Amino acid sequence: MKENSMSDEEKVDFSCLDPSSNAEGWNARIGDIVAQSQLLRAAEHSGENLSQLDGLAQTERFEQRIRVIADTAYRKQRQPLALRLESQVLAAGPRALVSGAILAAAAWLGAILGGGSGRTPALESPGLSLAMWAEQGRVPETREILLVIEVTRDER
Amino acid sequence: MLFVMPVPSDSALAAEDLTLSELVVAAQLGDTSAGEALARRFLRPAYAVALSILRRPSDAEDVAQDALIIALLKIQDCRAPSAFGAWLMQIVRNQALNLRSKRILRDVPEQQPEEIASPRASGDTLTRMRLLKALDHLTEQQREVVLLHDLAGFHHMEIAKTLDISNTNSRQILFVARAVLRRYLER
């Protein structure tokens, strides 16, 4: 006991490096952790179940999931993490469904992540890039999505 | 919107009273409030370990958050619930080392630009910079121990278990780390 109290007296004051001193931001982070882990788990599970659904339902569900993830990215300002989720969703979906669903969700993603004006530079817009990938009939790799997002963020 | 932010509930408050093993088992069974309690209990220690590797507070916060998300997602893989802390810190270390490798590849300076451009009061900023510079003079293990103890509030027994060192070793490392820090901070 005595040793502990002596130890406390000699403590180095790290309070200015302690992010938990901002209680509001800290609690938001904790909420974010729980929410993101739930979202990821849900995405994983729905990915597993996706192949069991019929074509139309799959497309709708796929698009809905992309929208949820994009919306979460916007609300949480956690684009890289959300896009990692998105790439997992893309990877989980059957390739034949990806093009149509991405095209439907591309404008939504572009509007959210490419800036609020509704007018985004062609190559830098994640939404348009996704549309471009969809036209090519392929699923973008995670590094490609992250690269587009980084370019967009750097230029903002 | 399908997505609802969790709010503390009665079960979340009750979760705070559970032992670590009980919390981990509850989280493995899908109890969200147990997951939240784990996040609440371990976010600061995770940040401390990330900071000891990265030495950039903003990066350390992000890594701690990402590591806890991974831990909660992969909670079924934690086979020894009482050793959750050590298991989590391994995830933190891996995440931090990955980020550090990316930084080196992209030639990102170790020094934080936000420290210079910070809108905070200059005294506070200077203190942060002095502390971060002083931490540079410690080994990674010394940084882990001193940050876990003095920033995250861990006891030596918890540090020993988390870092897989003895209780005595933890005390010795803390003693030396503080002495080195004091030497640089008093200059």
Side-chain angles (χ1 to χ4, degrees):
Chain A
M1 191 62 197
K2 193 182 174 188
E3 202 173 354
N4 275 344
S5 58
M6 277 177 71
S7 176
D8 282 347
E9 282 168 20
E10 293 166 0
K11 258 187 176 178
V12 177
D13 182 5
F14 285 113
S15 56
C16 65
L17 287 176
D18 185 355
S20 69
S21 54
N22 170 7
E24 196 181 334
W26 193 248
N27 285 330
R29 264 195 194 272
I30 290 168
D32 216 17
I33 288 166
V34 178
Q36 295 281 8
S37 61
Q38 286 176 320
L39 182 68
L40 260 169
R41 191 172 294 128
E44 276 189 351
H45 289 164
S46 55
E48 284 166 15
N49 298 332
L50 200 64
S51 59
Q52 296 166 8
L53 305 172
D54 67 73
L56 184 64
Q58 282 181 42
T59 309
E60 285 174 346
R61 191 164 176 189
F62 196 79
E63 182 188 333
Q64 188 186 37
R65 273 160 45 202
I66 291 177
R67 284 179 180 231
V68 169
I69 287 163
D71 193 44
T72 306
Y74 171 74
R75 294 199 316 118
K76 301 283 176 188
Q77 298 292 303
R78 300 277 301 162
Q79 288 96 331
L81 179 65
L83 283 163
R84 283 207 297 279
L85 295 179
E86 182 199 319
S87 68
Q88 288 188 1
V89 172
L90 293 176
R95 281 176 178 259
L97 295 174
V98 170
S99 298
I102 287 181
L103 275 172
W108 174 268
L109 269 173
I112 286 180
L113 297 176
S117 65
R119 191 170 166 272
T120 52
L123 280 175
E124 286 77 13
S125 160
L128 289 178
S129 296
L130 281 175
M132 184 182 73
W133 286 319
E135 280 170 15
Q136 293 170 357
R138 70 185 184 89
V139 179
E141 291 175 18
T142 308
R143 62 182 173 80
E144 292 178 295
I145 298 173
L146 289 175
L147 186 66
V148 170
I149 271 298
E150 278 174 17
V151 168
T152 310
R153 291 168 78 199
D154 288 349
E155 291 191 353
R156 228 178 258 169
Chain B
M1 187 67 213
L2 301 172
F3 198 64
V4 180
M5 285 291 289
V7 288
S9 60
D10 288 347
S11 58
L13 293 174
E16 298 292 343
D17 299 329
L18 297 177
T19 65
L20 176 60
S21 297
E22 288 167 339
L23 272 180
V24 173
V25 170
Q28 286 174 332
L29 293 171
D31 183 341
T32 309
S33 62
E36 186 182 336
L38 283 172
R40 203 166 283 284
R41 193 179 287 191
F42 281 95
L43 185 54
R44 221 149 64 115
Y47 165 77
V49 169
L51 185 62
S52 72
I53 295 170
L54 295 164
R55 282 167 283 161
R56 288 171 67 129
S58 55
D59 282 352
E61 282 185 56
D62 283 346
V63 160
Q65 178 167 343
D66 284 355
L68 264 158
I69 290 170
I70 293 169
L72 292 182
L73 187 67
K74 307 279 181 199
I75 191 89
Q76 306 296 345
D77 296 347
C78 179
R79 289 178 186 161
S82 63
F84 175 82
W87 179 73
L88 169 67
M89 294 315 156
Q90 199 50 52
I91 298 174
V92 174
R93 274 190 213 100
N94 289 341
Q95 291 289 107
L97 291 173
N98 281 344
L99 184 64
R100 195 167 70 181
S101 309
K102 282 182 193 164
R103 256 203 231 153
I104 293 166
L105 282 175
R106 291 178 190 172
D107 206 18
V108 176
E110 290 283 314
Q111 196 69 23
Q112 303 211 97
E114 65 259 39
E115 287 296 335
I116 298 157
S118 172
R120 284 178 163 214
S122 59
D124 198 14
T125 303
L126 281 173
T127 309
R128 277 165 67 95
M129 288 176 75
R130 285 181 66 218
L131 269 173
L132 289 169
K133 275 199 184 300
L135 284 169
D136 282 347
H137 296 283
L138 303 180
T139 66
E140 205 159 286
Q141 191 178 47
Q142 287 171 337
R143 280 196 295 272
E144 281 186 334
V145 171
V146 75
L147 287 169
L148 279 172
H149 192 281
D150 289 357
L151 189 152
F154 261 29
H155 297 295
H156 285 291
M157 199 176 286
E158 292 171 293
I159 295 172
K161 202 166 183 182
T162 303
L163 302 185
D164 197 21
I165 56 177
S166 72
N167 203 322
T168 310
N169 206 355
S170 174
R171 287 173 190 278
Q172 286 169 342
I173 293 168
L174 180 68
F175 180 80
V176 174
R178 281 174 170 174
V180 173
L181 284 177
R182 264 198 298 275
R183 197 161 65 230
Y184 283 97
L185 289 171
E186 283 167 7
R187 273 181 180 177

